[in-house]
Amino acid sequence: MLRLLRSVFRRLLGFLWDTLVTFGKMSYSVPDSSCEPATGPGPHHPERVRQDIPLSHVEKALQRQLRDIA
């Protein structure tokens, strides 16, 4: 009986330890300094704005609204 309790206790402590380690890694991780901040959609993204086509009136109004928010 004592052997069974020890086994259960060790498994419980192991699970608790793994959970706390995982939580610590998620909460206190240092971001990688080699990553550059995102500036917009990637080069082949379907919503990428083409530079050679001017914006429509609706798109210009949306751009003004978004600029005012930021």
Side-chain angles (χ1 to χ4, degrees), residues 56-68:
S56 69
H57 297 294
V58 175
E59 291 171 333
K60 287 180 184 178
L62 288 172
Q63 186 180 33
R64 267 185 263 124
Q65 290 175 2
L66 291 173
R67 197 174 339 141
D68 292 341

Side-chain angles (χ1 to χ4, degrees), residues 7-62:
S7 175
V8 170
F9 187 68
R10 282 186 181 168
R11 286 184 184 184
L12 183 63
L13 280 180
F15 174 75
L16 182 62
W17 178 259
D18 290 340
T19 303
L20 289 173
V21 167
T22 303
F23 177 74
K25 285 180 180 180
M26 289 189 316
S27 300
Y28 303 108
S29 65
V30 178
D32 188 11
S33 62
S34 65
C35 294
E36 296 179 11
T39 57
H44 299 293
H45 192 276
E47 294 181 3
R48 183 146 183 101
V49 178
R50 290 182 50 185
Q51 299 298 326
D52 59 335
I53 300 175
L55 297 176
S56 69
H57 297 294
V58 175
E59 291 171 333
K60 287 180 184 178
L62 288 172

